Amino acid sequence: MHARRASSFGGQAAAYAEHRPDYPRTALEWGMAGAGHQVRDVLDLAAGTGKLTAGLVATGRTVTAVEPDAEMLAELTRLLPDVPARLGRAEDIPLPDGSVDAVFVGQALHWFDLPAAFAEIHRVLRPGGVLAALWNHQDESVAWANEFSRLLHAGVNRGVTDGEQHLNAAGFEPFEKSEFPHSHRRTTDSLLATVSTHSALLVAEPADRAQLLARARAYLDAVPETASGEFDYPLRTIVARLRRS
Ligand SMILES: C[S@@+](CC[C@H](N)C(=O)[O-])C[C@H]1O[C@@H](n2cnc3c(N)ncnc32)[C@H](O)[C@@H]1O
């Protein structure tokens, strides 16, 4: 099931690009600041359709994207034609040794075979370079969003961020973690489109998916915060950063 979910995104690449949230600039800068030197060259690993890539490009760095799913990568290239984009996996990164100052991973570290991926990330980073892994989670302090997420059982896999011991790796200094407030402007329809791009729903049986979405829609229609028009879906962007020794 893990592998099926990890490779479930490509069939929905256009919806993914349209409906997934981006990442706050402050979170990207905090990740970069974990390096022991100025960050010039950045790898966006598991880049998907380029949600994180676009934010990294906006910081003025030179960005390369690597992604194993051809449909996701095609969408990235359509949206960001100037970004060098390579097909490849975290466990076998198609870049030379010591070629980047930072490796960013958006919403994907939990899909990797971590020992193999850490070894590869270590190889492509220059000494003193940084690995920054980001996740957008719903803000659990907001009651309606918490209940919505609970109803749907479609939150991202938090195995990695919850089990922090997984984040320490040979050849890296101990990880540091921080959180940043974020939000995603949504309507009922577009929020349901967003959650429909989560792997748990992508791999669900059609009847189960339809039932979950109907239940979620009924909830959003009943809650004052979301019942009419646009609203901010509250997020926390979690960043874990590890400096390469
Ligand atoms: C939830 S998406 C995140 C995409 C993008 N980083 C973002 O923030 O929107 C997860 C991505 O991880 C990719 N992926 C899954 N397993 C991977 C692996 N072993 N190595 C590299 N990428 C992987 C998937 O193809 C998918 O594009």
Side-chain angles (χ1 to χ4, degrees), residues 5-10 16 20-21 23 44-52 66-69 72 88-91 105-108 110-113 134 156 197:
R5 282 178 63 169
S7 61
S8 65
F9 301 100
Y16 192 105
R20 281 288 189 117
Y23 300 87
D44 184 4
L45 183 58
T49 61
K51 288 270 138 184
L52 175 57
V66 167
E67 159 63 37
D69 186 298
M72 297 291 266
R89 310 188 66 79
E91 300 80 6
V105 180
Q107 209 83 16
H110 49 280
W111 299 127
F112 298 171
D113 170 354
L134 292 80
V156 294
T197 68

Side-chain angles (χ1 to χ4, degrees), residues 4-21 47-51 67 69-76 78-79 189-190 192-204 206 209 213:
R4 199 171 145 229
R5 282 178 63 169
S7 61
S8 65
F9 301 100
Q12 292 293 319
Y16 192 105
E18 185 177 352
H19 291 296
R20 281 288 189 117
T49 61
K51 288 270 138 184
E67 159 63 37
D69 186 298
E71 290 174 88
M72 297 291 266
L73 198 65
E75 190 67 18
L76 184 148
R78 195 177 67 75
L79 297 168
D189 284 340
S190 64
L192 293 177
T194 299
V195 298
S196 297
T197 68
H198 289 172
S199 61
L201 280 193
L202 290 175
V203 302
R209 180 166 48 237
L213 289 172

